[in-house]
């Protein structure tokens, strides 16, 4: 019997009672990227990019230019002193090209075909008005797609993820290694740039699968074997380490599952996101909430879905949304657990105070901290069933709803039923009022 939580038809806290199905893609839709408050782009294995209206579901543009699947996409809003703001998106493909598109006109601005390998990730450094492409090497470009500088060949496997750091630095995930690069402008007038490797961090035991920037001073990485490392973004030292996501002693309130062996797939950190206070990790089939100040997991749902969780996001309230290979999209609420005085408090935390056995005083201090620390749990409050295959990711548009994309070639816009009903009523009243005015005039 599956240990995954279920929820009945009465989903009182789930506002998404209406949906719009957006069709157009002919293969797996892997990427959604927000352009502004009401527009977004979708891309995937068919090599086509679509621009959509998040309110109406209207297809704005269909962008053709790639011959193979899209491997990365990034928005790039640019505004020079001499010109008005322009919304652009950059797409990379397995055809070893990168294209810049104008979101207002839907036209192709520029295309580059000089890559020796597939570009796997794109990162825009808005403050410097440049963007980076990561593949077998790291390249720095301006908005006109002029190559400003590049690193030497790093590896055949290539850079799998990039994150911006302070002081014009970036962290690149290359296999098990995290490489820190620094950008520097050589001449402001000629737009000359240098990029140099300043440090290699080799603390992960397996390939780095996810990267997230938490704040100006912190970023976090996750690996395929379930390691989560918290880093100082200024001096790149390791601040904390967690790999006990599947240790039942860390979460004694959860029933342990009988397993002969632990598959790496079940412990892989697929996605990380943060609200600066906590990191939310999609690990295997589960969701974990890791508090950065306490350096410990404060809540978890080990079997949040029937299959691997591919994407998780924290909303502005205490809710989280997750999507999975099982085709489901779920809404969770982070709630405080009521601790009874006699109830043993879970000890799922770790310390960074040194090696070896902790002394008695340290144990007592840790125990006291645990007793004063509230525990939380993730309560399932909504289950969105609409896709027939793996849901790759989603975008949250606030009151406009939620956009999800899937291996079933579809994009679904999930809408707040009460809000949509009110909008329809308002439109109807306006029409009736206009007709009434017209009849009076006649």
């Amino acid at each position: 019997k599956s240990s995954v939580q279920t929820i009945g038809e009465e989903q009182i806290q789930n506002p998404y009672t209406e949906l719009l199905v957006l069709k157009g893609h002919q293969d797996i839709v892997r990427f959604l990227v927000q352009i502004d408050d009401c527009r977004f782009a979708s891309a995937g294995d068919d090599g086509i990019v679509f621009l959509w209206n998040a309110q109406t579901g209207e297809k704005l543009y269909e962008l053709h230019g790639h011959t193979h699947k899209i491997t990365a996409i990034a928005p790039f809003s640019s505004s020079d002193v001499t010109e008005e703001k322009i919304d652009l998106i950059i797409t990379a493909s397995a055809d070893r090209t990168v294209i810049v598109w104008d979101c207002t006109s839907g036209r192709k601005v520029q295309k580059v075909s000089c890559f020796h390998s597939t570009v796997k990730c794109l990162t825009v450094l808005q403050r410097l008005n440049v963007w980076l492409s990561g593949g077998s090497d790291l390249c720095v470009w301006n908005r006109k797609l002029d190559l400003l500088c590049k690193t030497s060949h790093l590896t055949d496997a290539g850079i799998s993820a990039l994150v911006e750091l302070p002081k014009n630095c970036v962290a690149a995930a290359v296999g098990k290694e995290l490489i820190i690069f620094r950008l520097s402008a050589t001449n402001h007038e000629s737009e000359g740039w240098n990029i140099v490797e300043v440090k290699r961090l080799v603390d992960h035991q397996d390939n780095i699968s996810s990267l997230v920037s938490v704040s100006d001073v912190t970023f976090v990485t996750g690996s395929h074997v379930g390691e989560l490392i918290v880093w100082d973004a200024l001096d790149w030292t390791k601040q904390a380490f967690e790999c006990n996501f599947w240790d039942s002693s860390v979460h004694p309130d959860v029933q342990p599952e009988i397993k002969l062996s632990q598959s790496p797939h079940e412990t892989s950190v697929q996605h990380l996101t943060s609200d600066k206070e906590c990191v939310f990790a999609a690990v295997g089939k589960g969701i974990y909430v890791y508090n950065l100040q306490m350096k410990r997991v404060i809540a978890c749902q080990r079997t949040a879905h029937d299959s691997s969780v591919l994407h998780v996001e924290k909303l502005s309230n205490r809710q989280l949304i997750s999507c999975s290979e099982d085709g489901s999209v779920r809404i969770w609420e982070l709630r405080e657990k009521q601790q009874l005085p006699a109830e043993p408090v879970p000890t799922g935390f770790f310390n960074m105070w040194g090696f070896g056995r902790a002394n008695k005083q340290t144990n007592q201090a840790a125990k006291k901290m645990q007793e004063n620390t509230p525990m939380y749990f993730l309560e399932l409050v909504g289950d969105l069933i609409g896709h027939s295959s793996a849901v790759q990711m989603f975008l949250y548009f606030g009151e406009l709803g939620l956009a999800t994309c899937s291996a079933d070639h579809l994009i679904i816009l999930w809408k707040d039923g009460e809000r949509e009903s009110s909008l329809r009523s308002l439109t109807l009243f306006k029409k009736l009022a206009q007709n009434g005015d017209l009849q009076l005039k006649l």
Side-chain angles (χ1 to χ4, degrees):
K1 187 181 176 181
S2 172
S3 56
V4 176
Q5 277 191 36
T6 55
I7 189 168
E9 290 183 11
E10 287 294 320
Q11 299 184 28
I12 301 166
Q13 296 179 71
N14 178 9
Y16 303 115
T17 54
E18 289 189 18
L19 56 87
L20 286 172
V21 179
L22 312 185
K23 298 180 180 179
H25 283 285
Q26 299 158 23
D27 210 329
I28 299 172
V29 190
R30 296 190 187 274
F31 304 102
L32 298 174
V33 65
Q34 189 167 345
I35 298 165
D36 54 29
D37 291 342
C38 65
R39 289 183 300 165
F40 69 97
S42 63
D45 288 7
D46 58 8
I48 307 169
V49 181
F50 287 93
L51 302 187
W52 307 91
N53 182 306
Q55 171 65 54
T56 63
E58 178 192 0
K59 187 194 299 179
L60 303 175
Y61 293 107
E62 186 172 329
L63 312 179
H64 293 265
H66 292 295
T67 56
H68 291 72
K69 69 178 183 179
I70 306 289
T71 53
I73 183 169
F76 190 4
S77 297
S78 177
S79 57
D80 291 343
V81 179
T82 56
E83 59 186 40
E84 62 184 57
K85 182 173 176 282
I86 302 171
D87 289 319
L88 307 170
I89 51 171
I90 310 164
T91 55
S93 167
D95 61 13
R96 299 186 180 183
T97 66
V98 166
I99 299 176
V100 176
W101 309 88
D102 186 326
C103 298
T104 306
S105 63
R107 67 182 181 87
K108 188 191 301 180
V109 178
Q110 196 77 276
K111 182 176 181 177
V112 171
S113 310
C114 62
F115 298 95
H116 300 298
S117 66
T118 300
V119 171
K120 295 180 179 179
C121 49
L122 298 164
T123 296
V124 175
L125 306 184
Q126 199 76 46
R127 186 174 54 82
L128 300 177
N129 206 27
V130 300
W131 58 275
L132 312 179
S133 64
S136 58
D137 44 30
L138 182 63
C139 301
V140 182
W141 310 82
N142 65 13
R143 187 163 50 90
K144 298 171 185 174
L145 275 187
D146 298 321
L147 179 61
L148 305 179
C149 59
K150 62 183 288 189
T151 63
S152 56
H153 183 82
L154 295 168
T155 170
D156 290 334
I159 299 167
S160 58
L162 285 166
V163 68
E164 182 179 2
L165 301 179
K167 297 179 179 178
N168 295 355
C169 290
V170 291
V174 183
K176 300 177 186 179
E177 294 184 324
L178 198 61
I179 306 178
I180 308 297
F181 294 98
R182 178 174 280 121
L183 279 74
S184 59
T186 56
N187 189 320
H188 292 292
E189 292 180 5
S190 64
E191 232 184 23
W193 287 82
N194 282 331
I195 183 165
V196 292
E197 179 184 320
V198 290
K199 191 152 188 165
R200 286 198 179 218
L201 307 171
V202 290
D203 298 75
H204 278 291
Q205 301 301 307
D206 202 351
N207 288 346
I208 298 166
S209 52
S210 47
L211 265 172
V212 65
S213 175
V214 175
S215 66
D216 290 340
V217 293
T218 307
F219 72 102
V220 179
T221 54
S223 79
H224 282 299
V225 291
E227 306 160 302
L228 182 144
I229 299 180
V230 181
W231 303 91
D232 187 303
L234 298 171
D235 63 11
W236 320 304
T237 54
K238 187 163 69 172
Q239 299 297 298
F241 175 75
E242 172 71 88
C243 63
N244 290 327
F245 291 119
W246 284 86
D247 184 355
S248 59
S249 66
V250 172
H251 312 290
D253 55 325
V254 180
Q255 287 291 330
E257 295 179 33
I258 300 169
K259 290 184 183 290
L260 296 175
S261 63
Q262 205 73 62
S263 164
H265 185 61
E266 293 176 328
T267 61
S268 177
V269 181
Q270 279 93 229
H271 186 240
L272 293 169
T273 187
S274 174
D275 65 354
K276 297 191 177 180
E277 181 184 342
C278 293
V279 172
F280 305 90
V283 185
K285 299 176 184 178
I287 304 168
Y288 293 78
V289 182
Y290 178 86
N291 186 283
L292 289 159
Q293 188 176 2
M294 292 184 249
K295 296 184 170 65
R296 62 186 280 263
V297 173
I298 60 166
C300 74
Q301 187 59 246
R302 290 177 67 182
T303 44
H305 292 264
D306 284 313
S307 300
S308 292
V309 181
L310 300 180
H311 196 84
V312 62
E313 290 288 347
K314 167 79 159 49
L315 305 188
S316 54
N317 50 25
R318 297 186 70 83
Q319 290 187 339
L320 280 81
I321 298 179
S322 61
C323 65
S324 166
E325 283 182 347
D326 64 16
S328 65
V329 180
R330 309 193 111 188
I331 307 169
W332 306 87
E333 190 164 294
L334 189 63
R335 294 179 179 171
E336 190 169 333
K337 189 182 291 182
Q338 297 300 316
Q339 296 280 6
L340 297 174
E343 184 184 350
V345 182
T347 58
F349 79 109
F350 58 94
N351 59 57
M352 298 299 293
W353 301 321
F355 300 97
R357 193 180 297 277
N359 60 37
K360 190 177 180 181
Q361 189 178 356
T362 302
N363 277 332
Q364 287 174 345
K367 188 177 180 183
K368 189 172 183 181
M369 185 185 83
Q370 284 295 332
E371 288 171 353
N372 296 330
T373 301
M375 284 299 293
Y376 298 86
F377 68 101
L378 290 168
E379 178 74 20
L380 179 63
V381 296
D383 203 353
L384 309 183
I385 306 298
H387 287 291
S388 60
S389 193
V391 182
Q392 303 294 318
M393 68 170 292
F394 55 85
L395 284 178
Y396 177 65
F397 280 94
E399 64 178 15
L400 293 187
L402 188 74
T404 57
C405 64
S406 169
D408 62 12
H409 309 178
L410 300 177
I411 296 162
I412 294 180
L413 282 178
W414 305 86
K415 295 288 188 178
D416 183 328
E418 286 188 12
R419 180 179 182 273
E420 295 302 308
S421 179
S422 298
L423 289 173
R424 283 192 292 269
S425 298
L426 191 63
T427 304
L428 180 61
F429 288 144
K430 283 181 178 177
K431 283 184 178 178
L432 290 172
Q434 286 173 355
N435 289 338
D437 288 344
L438 187 63
Q439 287 174 2
L440 286 171
K441 287 176 182 178
L442 291 171

